Amino acid sequence: MAETEMQLAAKSPCAGLLPLTIGDVTLSEDTPAAMTLIAPYKGQEKPLSDALNAAHGMGFPASNRATGKAEARAIWFGRAQALLVGPVADPELAAHAALTDLSDGWAVVRLEGAHAEEVMARLVPIDLRPQVFKRGHTARTELKHMMASITRIGPKALQIMVFRSFADTLVHDLKRAMEAVAARG
């Protein structure tokens, strides 16, 4: 390669930082193929939910909920907004909602293990115990000093999303909390 040529290689937000296991808790990166913000037009909530179901097999989520499965999930993302995570949004959805590609803007990690909630209790001001924050529940909340989206995706698994620019800080803060919880055991 000539000196004047430069090659750029795409890197995931947590490249070189994850996976990480401390004690019985594992932190790994999820790299969804696409992430699309969906904001329904006025009066189009029901037709949008029907179109989303026809195209991707899930309805538009209620407040603080997620719909779908691991490969394709719609996550409540604020008032009258959802984030489609996984598949590229079907273009037919644009008849009912504004679609914005956010694929490169977010870091997505998975925290799982028997003490995952204890790790998160050190960082967030909400109760994430499984009896309160059940599978399919989601919240936009503060994680230490960052805004985050947290979704329960399994009995002992949480999906955490922060702005891509905070990926290193997210991993650092989670690692410190994981170490503190493991030290107690």
Side-chain angles (χ1 to χ4, degrees), residues 35 163 167:
M35 298 172 75
F163 288 124

Side-chain angles (χ1 to χ4, degrees), residues 13-14 18 25-32 35 73 75 77 83 85 106-112 116-117 119-121 123-124 126 128 133 137-144 146-153 156-164 166-167 169-171 173-175 177-178:
C14 299
L18 297 176
V25 180
T26 298
L27 182 62
S28 58
E29 183 174 25
D30 284 342
T31 53
M35 298 172 75
R73 187 173 279 126
I75 300 170
F77 223 57
L83 187 67
V85 179
W106 292 84
V108 184
V109 299
R110 178 185 181 108
L111 183 72
E112 60 187 320
E117 290 84 18
V119 169
M120 293 300 288
L123 301 170
V124 298
I126 59 174
L128 296 176
F133 196 77
H137 286 203
T138 192
R140 293 291 301 265
T141 187
E142 185 178 19
L143 190 153
K144 196 155 183 181
M146 300 168 280
M147 290 311 298
S149 170
I150 301 170
T151 304
R152 168 129 354 242
I153 56 174
K156 292 291 180 185
L158 299 165
Q159 179 183 56
I160 304 162
M161 298 172 33
V162 298
F163 288 124
R164 181 186 185 106
F166 290 119
T169 303
L170 174 68
V171 171
D173 291 346
L174 285 167
K175 180 181 179 187
M178 290 165 68

